[in-house]
Amino acid sequence: MARPSLNLSLRNILRRFPLLKGALQYGRDLFRKALGATLCRLHFRNPFLGIPRGFYSGAELVRSGFYEGKIILPAQPCPVFTDDSLVKKCGLGQDGFQPWPVFCMRIPDAFLTGRSLVPRDPHGHLLAEATFSQVGDTSDPAFQHFSLGRGEFIQGNATSIVSRWGGDARGNKRYGGAGYWHWLFDSVARLSLLEALPSDTKVITPPLAPWMRWFLERLDLGGRLLETQATALRVENFYFSSPSSMTGCWNPYAVNFLRRSFLPFGSPSSDSLPKRFYILREGYTRKIANEWEVREFFTTLGWLSLIHI
C-alpha cells in the first residue's frame, strides 16, 4: 500500500485549520493568476514557445469539416439527474460534463505539450477535449506548461492515451503506475476508437508498470507502443482519440468496450469463487467514513467475500 506523500500529509494537517487553509489557498490562487497574466503578456513569434492562450473544440472542427475525423457518437446516453441525485449532491459538477461526444480526428504535424501531452495549435490553443472537458480545463498540467520547443519528432501515424488522469508522462511511481480505475477508464477505454484509425497507428503511452502493460498486450498492441516521459512531442500524423469515459459519468460505450476486450481473459466460473464481493479500500485516501458499517451491510446480504486492497 502506498504511503502518503509529504504534500498529502500537509494537506491533512491543514484540514484541521480551515481558516489557515483558506488563507493559504487564496494566496496561492492570487499568485497563480498574477504569474499567468504576466506570462500571457509575453509574445513569441515561435508557436512552440510560451504558455497556452486558450482552448479550441476538436468536435466542433470535425463537425464543420475543418479537420478530417469521425464522430462515433454525438453523445453517450445518460439518465436525467434529479436534484437528490448523488452526482449532483457531491458538488463536483459531473452532471455538467455529460453527455459529451466520442470522436476521433487527424491533426497533421501535431504539437503535443505538457506532461499530459495535449495537442496545441499554432495559435497557442489547446484541444479542449484532451483535457477531459468540452470547454477546456485550466487545471490541466498542459495549460500551466511553459513550452520551450517542439521536442522529439514521431514519424508516421500515432495516437496518445497519456493524460493527467489515466497516467501522465512523468508516470506515477508512488502507485506503481497510474491508478487502476483511471488507467482502465481514462486511458485504455480510449483505444475503443482504434478501429477507426489507420492500422499502423502507434500508441503513445506514459511509463508502463507491468500490470498496465498487461491490458495493452491483451489488445495485441505490444509492438505499437511508444512509452515516453517527454513533455513536448511532434507527430507527423496525430490521430486524437477522445475520452470515451470519464470518472463519475455515464459511460456505456466505454464499459461495453472493456467488457468485450477483457472478460474473455477472466477466471473461469467456479463454485469456489464468490458470486458477489465487496472491495474494502484500506488506503489513506478516499476511504468511506463509515467503511465498517458498509462492510457489515453487505455481509448481512450474503456477499461471500471481502477483498482487501
Side-chain angles (χ1 to χ4, degrees):
M1 184 169 59
R3 303 183 66 179
S5 64
L6 176 60
N7 180 44
L8 185 60
S9 297
L10 291 175
R11 286 185 181 183
N12 289 334
I13 293 174
L14 286 174
R15 287 194 183 102
R16 305 172 190 171
F17 307 96
L19 292 179
L20 176 60
K21 178 183 177 183
L24 290 175
Q25 287 177 334
Y26 180 73
R28 178 201 62 190
D29 292 342
L30 280 181
F31 174 76
R32 285 181 175 175
K33 289 180 180 178
L35 179 61
T38 301
L39 293 175
C40 281
R41 294 191 182 99
L42 300 177
H43 294 279
F44 298 94
R45 292 183 179 180
N46 189 331
F48 302 103
L49 296 178
I51 66 170
R53 298 183 176 279
F55 298 92
Y56 69 95
S57 169
E60 290 302 319
L61 293 179
V62 171
R63 290 191 186 101
S64 67
F66 187 83
Y67 269 114
E68 174 189 342
K70 181 179 181 181
I71 304 293
I72 309 297
L73 284 175
Q76 293 200 61
C78 64
V80 175
F81 300 105
T82 58
D83 290 337
D84 61 348
S85 166
L86 289 178
V87 174
K88 282 194 173 183
K89 283 187 173 183
C90 71
L92 295 176
Q94 290 171 325
D95 55 306
F97 296 151
Q98 50 190 316
W100 72 95
V102 177
F103 69 98
C104 58
M105 62 184 288
R106 174 179 172 267
I107 307 175
D109 194 22
F111 174 45
L112 313 183
T113 184
R115 58 188 174 91
S116 49
L117 291 179
V118 174
R120 171 173 163 167
D121 71 8
H123 306 290
H125 295 152
L126 299 178
L127 178 56
E129 290 88 353
T131 67
F132 286 69
S133 170
Q134 295 187 59
V135 296
D137 185 351
T138 57
S139 68
D140 191 278
F143 191 76
Q144 305 163 22
H145 179 73
F146 192 99
S147 178
L148 297 174
R150 298 185 176 198
E152 178 187 351
F153 179 72
I154 296 177
Q155 190 173 13
N157 303 320
T159 188
S160 171
I161 56 173
V162 176
S163 74
R164 69 178 295 191
W165 301 112
D168 61 34
R170 290 183 183 176
N172 196 331
K173 297 177 181 178
R174 192 160 60 89
Y175 290 104
Y180 187 86
W181 168 274
H182 287 292
W183 173 243
L184 269 181
F185 281 84
D186 298 335
S187 288
V188 176
R190 295 174 70 173
L191 297 174
S192 59
L193 282 76
L194 266 184
E195 60 185 16
L197 310 183
S199 59
D200 63 347
T201 301
K202 306 177 187 71
V203 180
I204 302 170
T205 76
L208 297 173
W211 68 266
M212 298 166 69
R213 183 181 295 277
W214 183 92
F215 289 98
L216 302 182
E217 289 175 344
R218 296 308 175 278
L219 296 174
D220 294 325
L221 295 176
R224 295 164 59 181
L225 304 180
L226 296 176
E227 291 185 60
T228 186
Q229 292 181 300
T231 56
L233 289 175
R234 275 185 62 215
V235 182
E236 182 178 6
N237 283 304
F238 181 71
Y239 286 87
F240 174 69
S241 176
S242 75
S244 59
S245 169
M246 192 179 299
T247 299
C249 298
W250 202 254
N251 308 301
Y253 179 84
V255 170
N256 289 335
F257 166 75
L258 293 173
R259 284 175 172 168
R260 291 196 313 271
S261 301
F262 301 114
L263 276 182
F265 300 101
S267 300
S269 59
S270 169
D271 292 337
S272 64
L273 296 175
K275 304 300 181 187
R276 297 182 178 87
F277 55 86
Y278 172 68
I279 298 177
L280 176 64
R281 186 164 188 163
E282 294 188 319
Y284 54 87
T285 60
R286 299 185 183 181
K287 293 176 65 174
I288 303 175
N290 60 336
E291 178 74 65
W292 290 99
E293 182 181 354
V294 173
R295 173 180 177 172
E296 291 302 319
F297 169 78
F298 283 110
T299 300
T300 58
L301 291 180
W303 289 45
L304 302 179
S305 178
L306 296 173
I307 296 181
H308 297 252
I309 60 172

